Amino acid sequence: MREISNMSDEMRGTRTFDLGDGRWATFCVRDIRRHGIKELLRFEGVAMDETPIAVFQSGERIGTVPGDFDPMSIRPKSFLYEPRPGDFTRNEDGWHANRTLCPGDLEAVPGFTWYRGSQSADVAVGRSCEAE
């Protein structure tokens, strides 16, 4: 399954997905935020892959998000972070976090888990990378 981005979806407030079996499904952004893409796709008879997806920032793997992660429909765990278009982009490697996202923003993303070897994780828990 992959998202098909087009200008008419942006104007109508909808998002279209290629379900991979020759079918497309279009959902209202409001419904995606309210119910989650996983639940809407389940209603269409499509099971989502639950395998965690890698998250990269500035070329470094920094963590993972759940397989059903959708950056525009998340409900942040903190009122200090509001998702913006372009915060996360997807390609074949995984999700790429914009360089403007700080550790606090990433921790506000539901399901985000730090990758143990990343420098950003060390900073997030208050350890200095230089001390090692």
Side-chain angles (χ1 to χ4, degrees), residues 9 24-25 29-30 37 46 49 56 93-94 113 122 124 126 132:
D9 274 353
W24 289 16
V29 171
R30 183 186 69 242
I37 192 66
V46 177
D49 186 8
F56 298 88
D93 295 334
T113 305
D122 293 336
E132 296 178 359

Side-chain angles (χ1 to χ4, degrees), residues 8-117:
S8 63
D9 274 353
E10 290 179 27
M11 293 180 350
R12 291 187 316 227
T14 59
R15 295 177 62 200
T16 301
F17 297 88
D18 179 356
L19 303 181
D21 58 0
R23 296 183 300 149
W24 289 16
T26 301
F27 303 109
C28 175
V29 171
R30 183 186 69 242
D31 290 340
I32 294 172
R33 286 192 179 127
R34 181 179 298 146
H35 304 291
I37 192 66
K38 181 179 176 181
E39 189 65 26
L40 293 172
L41 288 172
R42 188 179 66 77
F43 181 74
E44 291 290 327
V46 177
M48 289 198 69
D49 186 8
E50 300 282 333
T51 307
I53 300 170
V55 177
F56 298 88
Q57 189 176 43
S58 301
E60 176 189 8
R61 180 178 173 192
I62 60 168
T64 61
V65 290
D68 63 347
F69 176 70
D70 179 25
M72 293 312 294
S73 65
I74 62 172
R75 291 189 184 125
K77 297 187 276 185
S78 169
F79 70 92
L80 297 173
Y81 171 66
E82 183 67 32
R84 300 171 303 270
D87 279 354
F88 292 91
T89 54
R90 180 73 195 262
N91 70 10
E92 63 273 353
D93 295 334
W95 288 101
H96 288 262
N98 191 305
R99 63 180 180 78
T100 61
L101 293 174
C102 66
D105 295 336
L106 294 166
E107 289 176 354
V109 173
F112 178 82
T113 305
W114 286 105
Y115 176 63
R116 297 282 182 224

